[in-house]
């Protein structure tokens, strides 16, 4: 499909095909090209919560639906899933899920601490309903299995794509909130298991030490323009563009072990 | 030779000593234990309800993984995992109605009908290696040491999955004999340690554990030999608490059978992961000058 | 404990449920008492398996359900391999537990286990206890 619009002599009126959907049991006819979220807005629903990024990453708009003649529970993110005819749906903006309270400063990074915080994880029956319901295709059952055997690194890796929508918790026979457990595990992984990114620490230290303070002020000054004085505007913006272009960036053809010339290369 | 291996959760943490000693020993005997690529907790206990299916999903999934990976046998070390997997395997082999229901429910998995054989390592050694060959491979016979083989429950009961007869098992004794130790027969070798009741009814579990310790001690055992991490917890780790104030009982060392195997095969001390054993166990080895290279 | 039996004390539905869930015919038991002799938890239970089965045969729902026997049972199968009548007694105990657990009543609460216990407990202890004692 081309991005370029084809200009024809006559502008034709394109009429969207309407399809019936059932939102919480009530029928609405909506254009077939809409996502569930837009279809709900089209039907007159106003989002107060249950919508976030609208880009498929925040996990706020988990939606459950069924299709006619099919027993499967289907799921999707309302902002990403296009409506289908006779879809029978509801959105689950929130499902109660207890999050354990733990003192992060005193966490030692052991599996036993996860067991203490979430003992219910040992009730897992490996029914796999969690994996089946995950809109991000996270192998939930497998990461729970990994946590049970104390393999937090593996669990963190397997659960990496989780967007915390909570659909797994809605289906769990063992009544756990898998995604909160996985989050604790990923935190432990980040702090104790995964290799630390030294350059990130260095940058943080550089910021703390005031290395960037003057440079940031300089840039901010360039960004402060007088909307009524076009000459200053151009000068400053030209300078800003010049600075921006001069910064060191990772080339498109960079190999994996590419490193910037300086640890503090963001602003030369 | 490669053999399929299902570890179980506890063997990756508290009972790493059971696992490590087994892998290293089997390697010394020429077998590579290949851990399943993907596995989940087997559920530790077999569901005993006739109208229940959901509790079989976990062990059956593990059997499916073993089958998918091309193994016709899967070896286990933990008694509870052995029992749960072996019973689930029999169900899938013999109960057509439940097998179909389980296969249908797990539509995301390949169908399974009990093709894989679940084997406990003791039986693997008995049947695939043989006691004579094991005896020949021993470099440090554990002579003069009195070992009490503790079967507990799930190795021998129920009979259809028992690694040996539930009424008169001998496989553990044969193992101890092959590695050069003296066998201590004691009445409580198959008495339940209380199992999971240590969480729900700890006093009840402690009472039966005390009986086991008394029985082994009366039979003049130097140490108990185990195959189950929950027995090790109840009898080993909680031992100080149980014998406290009891002037008739002294600390009784507890080993996993795989650790004794590693010692007898002359493997280095690191392979035993002794840091996970009780202090009295470590002291016992030190006193006997073990492990020692032949 | 004298028990007066009448058509009002016999809970036939209870007997049927117990037999359905366990798959064990209660009447097969001949009350020999082998199970009572071999049960390792005998010091902690308020009655023997033999007596519990007798009360169940008589359909005495409350007397059976008030006993701690099924909850102290560790499913060790010592009685099962010894029973001369081939009754799988651990299955009966499981059925008794399930009559409660299936009503969503827990016997133990996972969050009540102390942090210190979690430091030491092997995972199979939690898994098995929760399977046997939580709904």
């Amino acid at each position: 499909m081309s991005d370029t619009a084809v200009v024809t002599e006559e502008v034709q009126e394109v009429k969207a095909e309407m399809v019936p959907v059932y939102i919480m049991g009530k029928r609405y006819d909506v254009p077939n090209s809409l996502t569930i979220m837009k279809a709900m807005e089209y039907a007159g629903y106003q989002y107060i919560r249950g919508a976030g990024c609208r880009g498929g990453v925040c996990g706020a708009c988990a939606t459950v639906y069924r299709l006619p003649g099919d027993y499967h529970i289907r799921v999707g993110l309302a902002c990403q899933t296009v409506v289908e005819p006779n879809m029978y749906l509801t959105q689950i903006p929130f499902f109660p899920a207890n999050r354990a309270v733990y003192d992060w400063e005193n966490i030692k990074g052991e599996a036993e601490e996860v067991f203490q915080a979430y003992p219910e994880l040992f009730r897992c029956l490996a029914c796999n309903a969690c994996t089946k319901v995950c809109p991000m295709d996270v192998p939930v059952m497998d990461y729970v299995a990994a946590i049970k055997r104390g393999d937090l690194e593996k669990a963190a890796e397997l659960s990496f794509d989780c967007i915390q929508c909570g659909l797994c918790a809605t289906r769990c026979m063992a009544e756990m909130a898998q995604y909160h457990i996985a989050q604790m595990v990923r935190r432990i992984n980040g702090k104790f298991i995964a290799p630390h990114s030294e350059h990130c620490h260095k940058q943080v230290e550089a910021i703390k030490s005031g290395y960037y303070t003057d440079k940031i002020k300089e840039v901010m000054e360039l960004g402060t323009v007088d909307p009524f004085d076009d000459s200053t505007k151009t000068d400053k913006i030209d300078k800003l563009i010049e600075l921006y272009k001069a910064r060191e960036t990772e080339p498109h053809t960079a190999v994996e072990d590419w490193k910037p010339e300086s640890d503090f290369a963001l602003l030369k | 030779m490669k053999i399929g291996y299902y570890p179980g959760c506890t063997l990756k943490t508290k009972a790493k000593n059971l696992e490590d000693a087994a892998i290293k020993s089997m390697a010394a005997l020429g077998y590579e234990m290949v851990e399943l690529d993907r596995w989940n907790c087997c559920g530790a206990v077999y569901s005993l309800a006739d109208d229940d299916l959901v509790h079989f999903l976990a062990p059956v999934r593990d059997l499916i993984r073993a089958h998918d990976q091309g193994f016709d046998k899967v070896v286990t070390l933990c008694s509870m995992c052995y029992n749960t997997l072996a019973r689930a395997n029999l169900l899938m082999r013999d109960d057509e109605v439940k097998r179909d229901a389980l296969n249908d429910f797990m539509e995301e998995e390949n169908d399974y009908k009990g093709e894989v054989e679940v084997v406990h390592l003791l039986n693997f050694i008995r049947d695939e290696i043989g006691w004579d060959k094991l005896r020949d491979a021993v470099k440090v016979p554990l002579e003069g040491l009195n070992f009490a083989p503790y079967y507990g429950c799930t190795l021998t009961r129920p009979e259809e999955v028992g690694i040996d007869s539930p009424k008169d098992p001998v496989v553990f004794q044969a193992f101890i004999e092959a590695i050069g130790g003296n066998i201590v027969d004691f009445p409580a070798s198959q008495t339940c340690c209380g199992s999971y009741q240590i969480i729900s009814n700890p006093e009840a579990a402690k009472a039966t554990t005390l009986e086991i310790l008394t029985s082994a001690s009366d039979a003049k055992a130097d140490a108990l030999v185990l195959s189950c991490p929950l027995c090790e917890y109840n009898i080993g780790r909680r031992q100080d608490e149980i014998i406290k104030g009891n002037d008739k009982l002294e600390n009784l060392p507890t080993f996993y059978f795989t650790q004794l195997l590693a010692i007898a095969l002359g493997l280095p001390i690191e392979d035993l992961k002794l840091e996970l054993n009780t202090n009295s166990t470590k002291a016992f080895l030190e006193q006997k000058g073990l492990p020692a290279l032949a | 404990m004298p028990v007066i039996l009448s058509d009002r004390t016999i809970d036939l539905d209870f007997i049927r449920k117990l037999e359905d869930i366990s798959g064990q015919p209660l009447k097969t038991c001949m009350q020999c008492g082998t199970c009572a002799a071999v049960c390792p938890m005998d010091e902690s239970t308020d009655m023997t398996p033999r007596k519990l089965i007798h009360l169940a045969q008589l359909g005495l729902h409350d007397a059976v359900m008030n006993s701690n026997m099924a909850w102290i049972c560790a499913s060790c199968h010592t009685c099962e391999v010894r029973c001369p009548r081939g009754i799988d007694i651990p299955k009966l105990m499981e059925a008794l537990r399930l009559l409660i657990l299936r009503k969503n009543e827990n016997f133990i609460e996972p969050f009540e286990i102390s942090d210190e216990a979690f430091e030491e407990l092997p995972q199979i202890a939690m898994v098995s206890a929760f399977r046997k004692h939580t709904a």
Side-chain angles (χ1 to χ4, degrees):
Chain A
M1 205 170 78
S2 166
D3 290 343
T4 335
V6 180
V7 182
T8 52
E9 286 170 17
E10 251 178 274
V11 177
Q12 287 183 344
E13 196 185 329
V14 181
K15 202 161 184 195
E17 199 187 314
M18 304 296 273
V19 291
V21 295
Y22 296 82
I23 300 170
M24 288 181 275
K26 187 168 163 46
R27 177 182 164 143
Y28 299 90
D29 288 329
V30 299
N32 67 350
S33 60
L34 297 186
T35 60
I36 292 172
M37 183 168 279
K38 285 187 177 152
M40 285 183 70
E41 285 170 333
Y42 180 91
Y45 288 90
Q46 190 189 354
Y47 278 93
I48 294 163
R49 64 174 306 177
C53 71
R54 290 178 184 254
V57 288
C58 82
C61 63
T63 303
V64 183
Y65 64 93
R66 279 191 163 101
L67 296 172
D70 180 359
Y71 69 86
H72 285 102
I73 290 179
R74 296 176 186 275
V75 293
L77 298 173
C79 71
Q80 299 295 299
T81 312
V82 177
V83 291
E84 288 177 61
N86 296 305
M87 197 179 220
Y88 212 88
L89 68 94
T90 191
Q91 223 188 296
I92 314 233
F94 185 75
F95 189 84
N98 290 355
R99 191 165 48 194
V101 177
Y102 41 86
D103 178 2
W104 189 243
E105 287 307 311
N106 290 321
I107 289 276
K108 296 192 286 284
E110 290 163 3
E112 284 76 7
E113 292 166 318
V114 184
F115 302 166
Q116 282 164 26
Y118 296 102
E120 62 271 28
L121 81 96
F122 291 108
R123 282 167 38 83
C124 171
L125 298 173
C127 74
N128 208 28
C130 47
T131 305
K132 287 180 183 171
V133 83
C134 179
M136 298 303 287
D137 295 330
V138 171
V140 185
M141 179 184 75
D142 294 64
Y143 82 59
V144 172
I147 299 170
K148 279 171 95 172
R149 75 179 80 138
D151 191 347
L152 303 187
E153 187 179 7
K154 170 119 182 199
E157 183 196 311
L158 290 175
S159 69
F160 188 79
D161 287 340
C162 172
I163 54 171
Q164 317 262 115
C165 73
L167 279 169
C168 48
T170 70
R171 300 280 293 146
C172 183
M173 290 187 67
E175 299 167 271
M176 66 176 111
Q178 298 92 328
Y179 65 106
H180 283 325
I181 311 179
Q183 185 181 53
M184 180 181 186
V185 167
R186 285 194 303 279
R187 283 176 177 159
I188 289 178
N189 185 58
K191 186 170 178 181
F192 297 98
I193 305 168
H196 284 214
S197 61
E198 289 308 321
H199 62 283
C200 180
H201 289 302
K202 278 184 190 163
Q203 289 288 7
V204 171
E205 285 314 309
I207 293 165
K208 279 186 185 163
S209 71
Y211 180 86
Y212 289 115
T213 311
D214 289 344
K215 292 170 200 281
I216 293 282
K217 274 185 190 153
E218 193 187 319
V219 174
M220 283 173 72
E221 210 283 316
L222 290 173
T224 318
V225 290
D226 181 350
F228 300 106
D229 185 347
D230 282 351
S231 66
T232 61
K233 204 164 156 184
T234 316
D235 283 355
K236 283 186 170 181
I237 285 175
D238 284 349
K239 176 79 178 134
L240 204 55
I241 290 170
E242 193 184 309
L243 273 176
Y244 182 75
K245 282 185 176 162
R247 85 200 193 285
E248 192 187 4
T249 53
E250 182 177 345
H252 283 304
T253 52
V255 284
E256 231 171 66
D257 59 352
W258 177 86
K259 281 197 179 86
E261 280 174 33
S262 150
D263 282 333
F264 312 119
L266 286 177
L267 285 170
K268 276 188 175 170
Chain B
M1 192 187 146
K2 288 182 182 203
I3 46 175
Y5 163 55
Y6 173 85
C9 302
T10 314
L11 279 80
K12 295 294 172 188
T13 57
K14 302 280 184 269
K16 196 87 184 83
N17 43 354
L18 173 56
E19 173 177 67
D20 273 22
I23 292 174
K24 298 282 168 54
S25 301
M26 290 307 284
L29 291 167
Y31 292 89
E32 186 194 341
M33 291 172 70
V34 182
E35 181 176 326
L36 299 185
D37 290 340
R38 189 181 169 201
W39 56 272
N40 48 264
C41 164
C42 66
V45 281
Y46 185 75
S47 170
L48 299 171
D50 240 32
D51 59 353
D52 177 50
L53 281 176
V54 71
H55 292 88
F56 301 122
L57 293 172
V60 172
R61 269 188 217 281
D62 289 321
L63 298 165
I64 292 172
R65 308 273 180 258
H67 191 231
D68 287 352
Q69 221 176 312
F71 292 116
D72 55 2
K73 263 195 194 102
V74 62
V75 166
T76 61
L77 303 168
C78 164
S79 305
M80 290 183 96
C81 299
Y82 167 73
N83 191 280
T84 307
L85 291 173
R87 292 194 80 176
N89 204 36
L90 284 189
L91 180 93
M92 292 305 277
R93 204 190 64 192
D94 300 336
D95 190 328
E96 205 178 320
V97 176
K98 286 185 180 170
R99 173 210 303 158
D100 287 350
L102 286 163
N103 278 329
D104 286 351
F105 179 80
M106 291 188 280
E107 53 195 354
E108 69 277 21
E109 311 283 3
N110 291 322
D111 278 4
Y112 180 75
K113 47 181 200 285
E115 292 95 330
V116 175
E117 193 192 343
V118 182
V119 188
H120 189 267
L121 187 67
L122 276 174
N123 278 11
F124 185 87
I125 296 171
R126 181 190 67 191
D127 301 337
E128 302 285 327
I129 300 174
W131 303 127
D132 290 340
K133 231 173 132 187
L134 175 62
R135 204 174 290 116
D136 293 344
V138 166
K139 291 183 180 148
V140 188
L142 303 177
E143 283 162 351
L145 302 177
N146 302 317
F147 292 114
Y150 177 71
Y151 289 90
C153 312
T154 51
L155 279 187
T156 55
R157 293 188 294 264
E159 189 158 17
E160 64 262 30
V161 293
I163 65 165
D164 206 347
S165 151
K167 287 174 188 157
D168 194 15
V170 294
V171 56
F172 227 141
Q173 286 90 324
F175 168 79
I176 290 169
E177 192 270 330
I179 58 171
N182 298 332
I183 303 155
V184 177
D185 279 322
F186 69 118
S189 78
Q190 286 181 277
T191 301
C192 175
C193 71
S195 190
Y196 51 83
Q197 295 291 6
I198 194 64
I199 288 180
S200 313
N201 296 292
E203 291 312 314
K206 284 180 206 165
T208 180
T209 307
L210 180 65
E211 202 179 310
I212 295 161
L213 286 168
T214 308
S215 170
S217 158
D218 287 351
K220 308 274 183 273
D222 290 330
L224 279 172
V225 195
L226 319 168
S227 152
C228 173
L230 189 45
C231 299
E232 158 61 24
Y233 177 74
N234 284 343
I235 304 174
R237 208 143 280 278
R238 313 271 312 204
Q239 202 180 95
D240 289 347
E241 195 186 320
I242 288 158
I243 65 171
K244 201 173 169 187
N246 186 325
D247 47 13
K248 283 187 214 132
L249 284 179
E250 281 180 28
N251 272 115
L252 192 62
T254 49
F255 292 97
Y256 287 121
F257 72 101
T258 57
Q259 294 183 295
L260 293 185
L261 179 61
I263 297 172
L265 293 174
L267 299 182
I269 190 160
E270 309 85 75
D271 293 353
L272 304 185
K273 278 229 168 315
L274 276 172
E275 62 272 22
L276 292 168
N277 286 72
T278 60
N279 289 333
S280 67
T281 311
K282 282 175 264 191
F284 171 79
L285 281 186
E286 210 162 302
Q287 191 204 332
K288 302 292 174 192
L290 291 169
L293 281 167
Chain C
M1 176 181 77
V3 178
I4 299 160
L5 297 174
S6 76
D7 57 351
R8 274 178 299 173
T9 61
I10 296 178
D11 187 338
L12 291 174
D13 190 47
F14 173 60
I15 295 175
R16 189 186 54 77
K17 268 191 202 154
L18 212 49
E19 292 188 334
D20 278 356
I21 300 176
S22 69
Q24 304 303 306
L26 285 173
K27 286 199 180 74
T28 317
C29 172
M30 61 182 187
Q31 293 287 299
C32 71
T34 305
C35 51
V38 298
C39 179
M41 307 305 259
D42 58 342
E43 280 181 42
S44 311
T45 54
D46 54 11
M47 64 176 75
T48 64
R50 181 203 60 78
K51 185 171 174 185
L52 189 80
I53 294 170
H54 195 202
L55 296 173
Q57 285 174 329
L58 300 170
L60 294 167
H61 172 275
D62 291 356
V64 172
M65 296 310 282
N66 287 335
S67 167
N68 69 3
M69 178 71 234
W71 301 100
I72 301 275
C73 167
S75 313
C76 78
H77 286 70
T78 311
C79 51
E80 184 260 340
V81 296
R82 300 275 168 185
C83 176
R85 302 290 283 164
I87 303 173
D88 197 333
I89 301 161
K91 283 193 166 180
L92 278 175
M93 300 301 165
E94 185 104 324
L96 288 171
R97 288 188 293 270
L98 288 174
L99 287 177
I100 301 291
L101 298 176
R102 285 182 181 174
K103 285 191 265 183
N104 204 17
E105 288 174 35
N106 276 4
F107 179 69
I108 55 163
E109 286 301 342
F111 59 82
E112 284 173 0
I113 300 172
S114 73
D115 286 0
E116 295 72 38
F118 273 117
E119 296 280 339
E120 296 274 321
L121 280 167
Q123 291 100 309
I124 42 174
M126 276 84 82
V127 173
S128 49
F130 295 175
R131 284 213 173 189
K132 293 292 183 187
H133 291 158
T134 67

